[in-house]
Amino acid sequence: MQQLLMIEDDTRLAQMVGEYLERSGFGVSHAADAKAGLHMLTEPPTGAAPDLVVLDLMLPDIDGLEVCRRVRALPGDTGKVPVLMLTAKGDPMDRIVGLELGADDYLPKPFEPRELLARIRAILRRRTDGAPVPAKTMRFGSLEIDRDARTVTVNGAPCELTSYQFDLLVVLAERAGRVLTRDQIMEAVRGRELEAFDRSIDVHMGRIRAAIEADAKNPKRILTVRGVGYVFAKQQD
């Protein structure tokens, strides 16, 4: 059974959503504040780290964005746990900052539990699914992408990417030389459909560039095709 950690100070909402997710086959742990949530993440009551964190940004003790930053700073696989943010409706800046800090997706409040479930399943599916590939590791000059280990290195040095960002990079690398629209990229990773004026894909691309490019402002690996989307360059260092 996959385990979820919900960090949410609205106990009534957490109970309602938790019961819904449990009926859908998940194990759910709840923390009412950030400190308790971080403790449960590093010392899980079940003995195993959660498969995903549902994180509210409006917490009483520590801002949710700071919590996301601290999660990503944790060592090993714990720091790579997928994070789905619950954000205040109509506040796009929080969403953008959260994505820049390493969150995998966001959901504005109020929300339907069914949509939360769908997004959780989409994130977890991206971690486990995927068509068979002929080679375990893709190499582009000094850049290596290991599909099985889900790691990325440049000149042997590890690159820190979220689960979602890793999947985005793989989608582009597998189609090196082919221009992909934002819709095609989102569809390939089986995420939610792109909403009008939603720039989350651009935020993630910026984070990927910062991790794998020598100069993120003058990228050589992931190129922007204005008015269309992105292309992963075949010829690299």
Side-chain angles (χ1 to χ4, degrees):
M1 177 184 294
Q2 291 176 303
Q3 299 294 320
L4 309 177
L5 171 60
M6 179 176 292
I7 307 177
E8 167 64 66
D9 63 323
D10 186 336
T11 55
R12 183 177 179 182
L13 174 64
Q15 181 178 359
M16 178 191 71
V17 173
E19 290 175 352
Y20 178 83
L21 294 174
E22 287 175 344
R23 291 196 300 269
S24 300
F26 291 98
V28 180
S29 300
H30 171 237
D33 57 49
K35 291 182 179 179
L38 289 169
H39 177 75
M40 293 174 70
L41 180 60
T42 55
E43 298 183 24
T46 61
D51 296 284
L52 182 143
V53 175
V54 178
L55 172 64
D56 182 25
L57 292 192
M58 299 296 291
L59 296 170
D61 52 347
I62 303 174
D63 180 81
L65 294 174
E66 172 63 15
V67 174
C68 185
R69 188 193 67 78
R70 293 189 187 185
V71 169
R72 288 291 171 253
L74 292 172
D77 291 339
T78 304
K80 298 179 181 179
V81 62
V83 175
L84 191 159
M85 302 184 308
L86 302 179
T87 69
K89 188 173 182 179
D91 195 352
M93 186 53 64
D94 277 350
R95 304 173 194 174
I96 292 171
V97 173
L99 291 169
E100 289 178 338
L101 289 173
D104 293 84
D105 199 358
Y106 64 81
L107 184 62
K109 289 183 176 182
F111 58 85
E112 287 289 336
R114 286 180 296 178
E115 183 177 4
L116 175 63
L117 175 62
R119 296 202 181 194
I120 289 172
R121 285 176 170 169
I123 293 172
L124 294 175
R125 187 167 58 239
R126 290 195 295 265
R127 291 173 64 88
T128 57
D129 283 2
V133 294
K136 171 184 175 182
T137 302
M138 294 183 288
R139 294 181 175 85
F140 302 89
S142 61
L143 172 68
E144 291 192 4
I145 305 170
D146 189 325
R147 295 183 181 91
D148 289 354
R150 296 184 65 82
T151 58
V152 179
T153 60
V154 174
N155 290 319
C159 301
E160 294 298 325
L161 296 174
T162 67
S163 174
Y164 187 42
Q165 289 159 7
F166 177 86
D167 292 330
L168 288 173
L169 178 59
V170 168
V171 165
L172 289 169
E174 288 178 340
R175 298 159 178 81
R178 175 183 167 189
V179 178
L180 299 177
T181 67
R182 292 174 176 82
D183 289 325
Q184 288 172 326
I185 295 170
M186 296 290 276
E187 181 180 355
V189 295
R190 301 184 184 183
R192 57 186 175 79
E193 294 183 356
L194 203 62
E195 299 173 359
F197 307 112
D198 186 350
R199 310 303 292 179
S200 67
I201 191 76
D202 299 322
V203 173
H204 282 298
M205 288 302 174
R207 296 289 292 181
I208 296 171
R209 282 171 170 162
I212 71 172
E213 300 276 7
D215 182 357
K217 294 183 178 180
N218 296 285
K220 303 297 183 183
R221 306 180 191 278
I222 299 177
L223 308 178
T224 300
V225 181
R226 293 190 180 279
V228 182
Y230 295 93
V231 60
F232 189 89
K234 283 186 176 181
Q235 300 297 325
Q236 302 182 14
D237 54 344

